[in-house]
Amino acid sequence: MQYQIIKREDFIVHRWSGGTTSEIFLFPPSSCWEKKDFQIRISSADCRVDGAPYSDFTGFTRHILPLRGSMHMFHEGHHEVLLNPFDVDIFDGSWNTHHIGKAVDFNLLYSENWTGRLKPLLQNESIKIEKSGIIGFYAVEDAEILSRDFSVEVPAGDFIVFNDINEATVFSIKAALHGPCVIAAAAFPKGSSHMRLSSMPVDEFCALTASDAPAPGGGSVSALCGSLAAALAEMVGNLTLGRRGCEDAQESIREALAELEEIRTILLKAIDEDSESFNGFMTALKMPKNTEEEKALRKTAMSQALKTASLVPLKVAGQSVRIFKFSRLMLERGNKNAATDAMVSALAARTAAIGALLNVRINLRSIHDPEFVRTTLEEVLRLETLTNEQEKEITEIGYQLLNQ
């Protein structure tokens, strides 16, 4: 695996109204920061002036974290957040942004054709890259970067980049520092399977959902709720196995656990499938519409993409409805100390199913296939009825148990 170590003395320094920025890495190499024709930019800024406006990077997404000092970020019309060292904020490069606080920060910037991740890594921590991307590591302290077939030492302040990753690769870190010792900055072309939403840390998934990026949205969040509903029911089952007083439930619990694991796996995959199907619709939406022929092709493509985008949440709803019988089983025959977990499982399954079906409903309004709309709407109504009935029954049983 090829890599390049960029020494800190080779960083390119730019001055701006709030201090200085050290440009660490620019991709492609022939691009220019001033022209904004790059795809990826990694940099570190020494911010000395409170309130200085950030440069306009319309068309780019920006990840930022403080290396030293704290930054109170203000995004006009969006959100504000206080970042302590190694906290990450993600925002659109077009926003009117400034911060209060003197700090040295670290930035990842990538164009709309890419996606990425900025993550502080501790000693012995690992990060997995699925494929097709660029990843770099900034050494906060002297560190050793290891993978399956190599290791390389990176002095403090230097940056190492791998830009030929074409297969799943796990990188791990060795260093003497107990806190964050390396900053991993990774970027990938959209459509590559580099970083599934389902593999994201919870805080990063929430931050991405909270941003003005159109995906992940309600569909992916519904799939996540469903996977958590299955996981909670599994937890109650595992707390029941081998428990005294639950001997007669052991076989049915084991069978339920196998089926719940299958449901959870399907719903985890659907987190990404929903966002990918939405991206397919956005691609159709951007088709040319200058002539009548182009307009007709675009309309057909959009309708077909919406069909695909409807089938994913319909699957999420169907799988979520399957969870109810297991939530009920765990409530009635499982570990009584975890009864409320079984109830939450049912509540989360309802949120997943109804949320997914809302996505189906809104898509059906723009699909120009009456038969598809009719049959799909019938299934939506069936699943909505089942969902509301099952969740109500399980909740009533749960409150009866709690009031005993």
Side-chain angles (χ1 to χ4, degrees):
M1 184 180 299
Q2 295 183 345
Y3 61 83
Q4 176 190 5
I5 294 181
I6 303 173
K7 308 292 289 182
R8 56 183 165 181
E9 55 263 30
D10 294 327
F11 298 167
I12 300 172
V13 178
H14 302 277
R15 296 192 177 278
W16 60 294
S17 59
T20 58
T21 295
S22 296
E23 183 177 285
I24 299 171
F25 176 77
L26 205 64
F27 180 84
S30 59
S31 57
C32 176
W33 170 76
E34 289 86 353
K35 295 180 180 178
K36 298 181 181 177
D37 59 352
F38 57 88
Q39 299 295 311
I40 304 164
R41 184 182 189 233
I42 296 170
S43 62
S44 176
D46 187 353
C47 307
R48 294 296 176 183
V49 179
D50 283 343
Y54 280 38
S55 300
D56 180 4
F57 282 103
T58 299
F60 292 83
T61 298
R62 193 166 187 168
H63 297 227
I64 191 169
L65 64 79
L67 293 171
R68 294 189 297 277
S70 296
M71 303 167 67
H72 194 160
M73 304 292 295
F74 294 88
H75 306 291
E76 184 180 335
H78 299 280
H79 70 272
E80 64 177 86
V81 61
L82 176 62
L83 301 180
N84 291 314
F86 306 108
D87 292 339
V88 179
D89 188 22
I90 304 172
F91 56 98
D92 191 295
S94 66
W95 292 356
N96 291 327
T97 294
H98 70 275
H99 82 262
I100 302 297
K102 294 179 173 60
V104 176
D105 68 25
F106 191 84
N107 288 262
L108 169 64
L109 197 64
Y110 50 81
S111 75
E112 59 188 359
N113 299 318
W114 290 67
T115 187
R117 182 179 183 185
L118 191 62
K119 180 176 175 59
L121 296 175
L122 303 172
Q123 179 185 192
N124 297 323
E125 191 172 0
S126 297
I127 183 171
K128 183 176 182 180
I129 305 302
E130 295 294 335
K131 67 175 185 178
S132 302
I134 295 172
I135 185 167
F137 299 94
Y138 174 80
V140 179
E141 298 290 341
D142 292 348
E144 185 179 3
I145 313 296
L146 303 96
S147 188
R148 180 179 55 200
D149 54 359
F150 81 93
S151 68
V152 58
E153 294 183 355
V154 184
D158 289 355
F159 183 78
I160 182 171
V161 61
F162 303 83
N163 56 16
D164 63 341
I165 298 173
N166 53 24
E167 62 180 0
T169 305
V170 176
F171 295 91
S172 57
I173 309 300
K174 276 190 177 181
L177 193 68
H178 292 296
C181 51
V182 165
I183 309 300
F188 314 87
K190 284 186 176 176
S192 69
S193 59
H194 66 288
M195 182 173 45
R196 299 181 301 274
L197 293 171
S198 56
S199 297
M200 274 187 168
V202 173
D203 59 341
E204 292 186 20
F205 183 91
C206 287
L208 183 58
T209 303
S211 74
D212 63 353
S220 292
V221 170
S222 295
L224 175 60
C225 285
S227 65
L228 290 172
L232 269 175
E234 287 180 85
M235 183 191 77
V236 180
N238 283 312
L239 290 172
T240 304
L241 289 179
R243 185 174 178 82
R244 184 181 300 174
C246 301
E247 290 83 1
D248 61 341
Q250 299 298 297
E251 184 176 351
S252 58
I253 293 293
R254 286 192 178 90
E255 291 174 355
L257 286 172
E259 196 164 343
L260 283 165
E261 183 179 9
E262 174 194 332
I263 295 169
R264 174 165 53 87
T265 301
I266 292 170
L267 289 171
L268 280 171
K269 290 180 180 178
I271 296 172
D272 291 276
E273 291 170 353
D274 186 87
S275 289
E276 289 165 3
S277 67
F278 177 80
N279 290 335
F281 170 72
M282 293 303 294
T283 298
L285 189 65
K286 294 175 182 177
M287 289 176 63
K289 49 182 178 178
N290 299 315
T291 66
E292 292 303 317
E293 181 180 4
E294 287 179 344
K295 290 177 181 178
L297 289 171
R298 178 176 176 269
K299 182 178 179 180
T300 300
M302 287 171 60
S303 183
Q304 186 58 49
L306 282 173
K307 285 183 183 180
T308 302
S310 298
L311 293 176
V312 175
L314 196 65
K315 175 177 70 175
V316 168
Q319 294 297 322
S320 299
V321 167
R322 289 177 63 194
I323 297 170
F324 287 119
K325 68 177 181 179
F326 302 115
S327 301
R328 183 166 185 163
L329 171 68
M330 301 306 173
L331 182 61
E332 294 180 328
R333 305 187 67 189
N335 187 330
K336 298 306 179 186
N337 293 326
T340 53
D341 296 299
M343 293 175 68
V344 174
S345 169
L347 293 171
R350 181 187 186 279
T351 297
I354 296 299
L357 293 172
L358 288 172
N359 273 22
V360 178
R361 281 181 173 274
I362 197 169
N363 288 340
L364 292 179
R365 299 190 310 173
S366 302
I367 294 175
H368 307 289
D369 183 339
E371 182 61 18
F372 178 88
V373 172
R374 183 187 66 79
T375 57
T376 304
L377 187 56
E378 287 178 356
E379 180 65 2
V380 167
L381 292 170
R382 184 185 74 84
L383 291 171
E384 284 177 342
T385 300
L386 279 173
T387 295
N388 289 321
E389 290 175 350
Q390 291 293 315
E391 186 268 333
K392 183 180 179 182
E393 289 179 13
I394 293 168
T395 301
E396 288 177 352
I397 293 169
Y399 278 112
Q400 287 173 8
L401 290 172
L402 291 174
N403 292 329
Q404 287 178 358

